[in-house]
Amino acid sequence: MANMNFDRKTLRELADDGNETALDRLADLADEEGDLAELSELLDEGSMRAGLLLTRRAAASGDLRVLQRICDAGYEEAGNELDRLLKAPAGVGRDGGAEGEGVSGCGART
């Protein structure tokens, strides 16, 4: 398979026409460039790939507020990561939470 580099304008046009693969590719490009603003915009447009990439970054840095924002934008896995970090015992590293625990809900206020 040939490795083709498509320009952003073409990818954007395809994404605007509903092509989710093009939207995912835009998210990958933004992630490679470290463009968090573009990733956030793509998440707001409904890109689950952008949600995944932002969640990975926020979980790695332990940024609870960003995880909540990603969750509120519709990417539920961010809520699971947020829940995992919040439930980790004090002094335990970022990967010390129990696997598979559910979240009470993105945006839920109790």
Side-chain angles (χ1 to χ4, degrees), residues 4-5 11-12 17 20-21 24-25 30-31 41 54 62 64 70 83-84 93-94 104 106 108:
M4 304 184 107
N5 291 320
L11 290 171
R12 171 46 61 197
D17 288 338
E20 289 187 34
T21 304
D24 289 348
R25 184 67 183 126
D31 185 58
E41 289 174 17
L54 286 166
L64 303 178
I70 297 166
D83 198 47
R84 182 182 63 80
R94 291 189 181 119
S104 58
C106 290

Side-chain angles (χ1 to χ4, degrees), residues 5-25:
N5 291 320
F6 300 103
D7 65 88
R8 283 181 181 273
K9 181 180 177 190
T10 301
L11 290 171
R12 171 46 61 197
E13 289 171 358
L14 291 170
D16 288 347
D17 288 338
N19 187 310
E20 289 187 34
T21 304
L23 194 61
D24 289 348
R25 184 67 183 126

Side-chain angles (χ1 to χ4, degrees), residues 12 17 24 26 38 40 42 48-52 55 62 67-68 72 76 89 96 101-103 107:
R12 171 46 61 197
D17 288 338
D24 289 348
L26 285 170
E38 184 175 359
S40 292
L42 293 168
M48 293 299 103
R49 179 75 180 159
L52 168 71
T55 297
L67 285 169
Q68 183 65 56
D72 289 346
E76 290 187 22
E101 292 181 3
V103 67

Side-chain angles (χ1 to χ4, degrees), residues 26-94:
L26 285 170
D28 288 336
L29 291 172
D31 185 58
E32 288 171 10
E33 295 171 357
D35 190 341
L36 301 181
E38 184 175 359
L39 277 172
S40 292
E41 289 174 17
L42 293 168
L43 175 63
D44 291 341
E45 292 178 38
S47 170
M48 293 299 103
R49 179 75 180 159
L52 168 71
L53 297 169
L54 286 166
T55 297
R56 284 182 184 169
R57 287 175 177 265
S61 67
D63 194 330
L64 303 178
R65 288 187 179 118
V66 170
L67 285 169
Q68 183 65 56
R69 183 238 178 260
I70 297 166
C71 182
D72 289 346
Y75 187 69
E76 290 187 22
E77 185 58 32
N80 294 335
E81 285 297 314
L82 176 62
D83 198 47
R84 182 182 63 80
L85 290 172
L86 289 171
K87 288 182 178 181
V92 173
R94 291 189 181 119

